[in-house]
Amino acid sequence: MSTAAEDTQARLLRATYDIGKTAIYSAKVDPRFQYCLYVPPQIGPDTELVVCVHGTSRTSFLDFRDGFAEFGRWNDCVILCPIFPIGPLGDGARSGYKYMREGEIRYDRVLLGMVEEVSARYGRHWDRFALFGFSGGGHFTHRFAILHPRTLWAASIGASGSVTLLDAGRDWWVGIRNLRDVFGIEFDREGLAKVSVQMLVGDADLETWEITHKPGGTYWMEGANDAGRTRPERLRALQASFEAAGVTVRFDLVPGVAHSRMLVIDRVQDFLAGLLRQKRGA
C-alpha cells in the first residue's frame, strides 16, 4: 500500500513529465522510435487526439509539439508527435517512414501502437484521431489515410513531395493496385470518403531538387514523377485523385509561402478547430 509521501511524489512526477509539454518517450511497440506530447491540464471524455508528423529533418517534431500546445490547451486536445529517426536499420536511410514500410518496419503499425500506448496512459480510448504532417510528414499522412481511413476523423496533408494516387492500375507507392500484397490491406474507398481532408502548400513552394525521382534512386519506379513537377502540382493531382474517390478536400494554396511548416500551421489549426466544433456540437 502506497504512503502519502509516495502518492505526492507520483503526482509531482506526473505533473513534471506527463502533463503540459512532456518528456520524450520510447515507444513500447518498438523502442527504436520515440514520441513526445502536449497534454492539457485536464483530460475528459471530450478530449481529442491530434497527431503531428515531422518532415525529413526530424526537428519539426518539437516545433509541432510547441506550436500546437496552445491549440491543444484551448481546444481540449492531446498533441502526439512521433519521432522516426534517420536510419533505424543502421543504413542511414532518411525516407523510410514516408512510404510506410522499411525492411521489417511498418510505420503505420508503429504509429497505431503509440496511439494505443498514449490512450492507455491517459485513460482514454482514441480509436479515431486527427493526423497532420508537413513535407515528409505529408507523405506519411496521406499514405496512412489510404491504409487506415477508419482510424481518422481528419487528415491535413502539407506539401508532400511525392504522392500516392488512388490509381488501381499502378503498384505502390505510385498507385494502390497491390495494397493487399504489400500491406495485407484492401483499399477502403467508403472509409476514406468519411475522412475530413485538408491539403495545403505554399504557392512559392517550387523547388524540385529534392522531390524529383531519378532512375537508380531508392524510391524510383515508373510513374514516380507523373503527378507533376512541383509540390503544388503534385498536391493538386492528389486532390483530384481523392475527389474522384468521393473524398471532400479543402485545398489551401497559401500565397507568398515557400517550403515553411510554421507559416501554414495556423491554417491547419483553423481547419481542425472547425471540425472540433462540429463534432462537439453534434
Side-chain angles (χ1 to χ4, degrees):
M1 183 175 182
S2 62
T3 65
E6 289 172 335
D7 289 342
T8 298
Q9 183 184 44
R11 286 195 297 271
L12 287 172
L13 286 170
R14 182 174 174 84
T16 301
Y17 297 110
D18 295 338
I19 303 297
K21 298 175 182 179
T22 74
I24 296 173
Y25 297 92
S26 288
K28 293 180 181 179
V29 67
D30 189 331
R32 288 175 292 186
F33 307 106
Q34 299 82 42
Y35 64 88
C36 64
L37 306 157
Y38 170 78
V39 179
Q42 302 293 330
I43 295 178
D46 293 330
T47 304
E48 297 285 354
L49 179 66
V50 176
V51 178
C52 301
V53 183
H54 59 68
T56 309
S57 71
R58 274 70 176 175
T59 56
S60 58
F61 80 92
L62 280 178
D63 290 339
F64 291 158
R65 194 274 307 271
D66 296 350
F68 275 81
E70 287 300 301
F71 174 88
R73 179 177 178 85
W74 300 114
N75 289 278
D76 192 18
C77 293
V78 169
I79 310 300
L80 166 61
C81 298
I83 309 165
F84 301 126
I86 289 174
L89 298 179
D91 56 4
R94 293 188 295 270
S95 297
Y97 80 102
K98 302 175 189 177
Y99 296 89
M100 289 293 135
R101 186 171 180 174
E102 184 176 18
E104 88 287 1
I105 301 168
R106 282 280 301 273
Y107 286 96
D108 55 329
R109 292 176 178 168
V110 173
L111 178 59
L112 290 170
M114 290 178 179
V115 169
E116 183 177 350
E117 179 179 337
V118 171
S119 297
R121 180 182 303 158
Y122 293 97
R124 291 284 282 111
H125 180 57
W126 284 305
D127 56 342
R128 297 177 72 226
F129 52 92
L131 181 61
F132 160 62
F134 185 85
S135 193
H139 280 252
F140 182 95
T141 296
H142 82 274
R143 295 188 178 109
F144 185 94
I146 291 169
L147 295 178
H148 301 283
R150 293 183 188 269
T151 68
L152 300 177
W153 53 265
S156 178
I157 302 156
S160 181
S162 295
V163 295
T164 295
L165 304 182
L166 304 179
D167 184 347
R170 298 191 183 194
D171 285 343
W172 187 269
W173 60 267
V174 170
I176 61 170
R177 174 168 55 194
N178 60 338
L179 276 190
R180 172 183 279 279
D181 295 336
V182 177
F183 297 104
I185 293 172
E186 296 284 357
F187 174 55
D188 183 357
R189 182 184 301 267
E190 181 181 344
L192 186 60
K194 294 177 180 178
V195 180
S196 297
V197 174
Q198 177 189 40
M199 300 181 185
L200 72 166
V201 64
D203 68 356
D205 193 348
L206 302 176
E207 294 288 347
T208 61
W209 65 270
E210 191 176 13
I211 67 172
T212 302
H213 294 275
K214 298 177 181 179
T218 302
Y219 295 100
W220 165 258
M221 59 186 297
E222 289 297 327
N225 299 307
D226 287 359
R229 190 176 65 88
T230 65
R231 286 184 173 91
E233 290 174 1
R234 292 181 178 187
L235 211 60
R236 283 294 191 189
L238 185 65
Q239 176 192 15
S241 180
F242 271 41
E243 289 180 341
V247 181
T248 300
V249 177
R250 166 178 157 174
F251 195 99
D252 287 40
L253 186 64
V254 188
V257 171
H259 199 59
S260 175
R261 57 187 179 265
M262 299 310 290
L263 294 180
V264 302
I265 64 169
D266 58 337
R267 292 180 180 243
V268 178
Q269 293 173 0
D270 287 346
F271 170 69
L272 295 176
L275 293 176
L276 287 167
R277 285 193 295 271
Q278 293 175 22
K279 282 170 62 67
R280 289 163 179 165

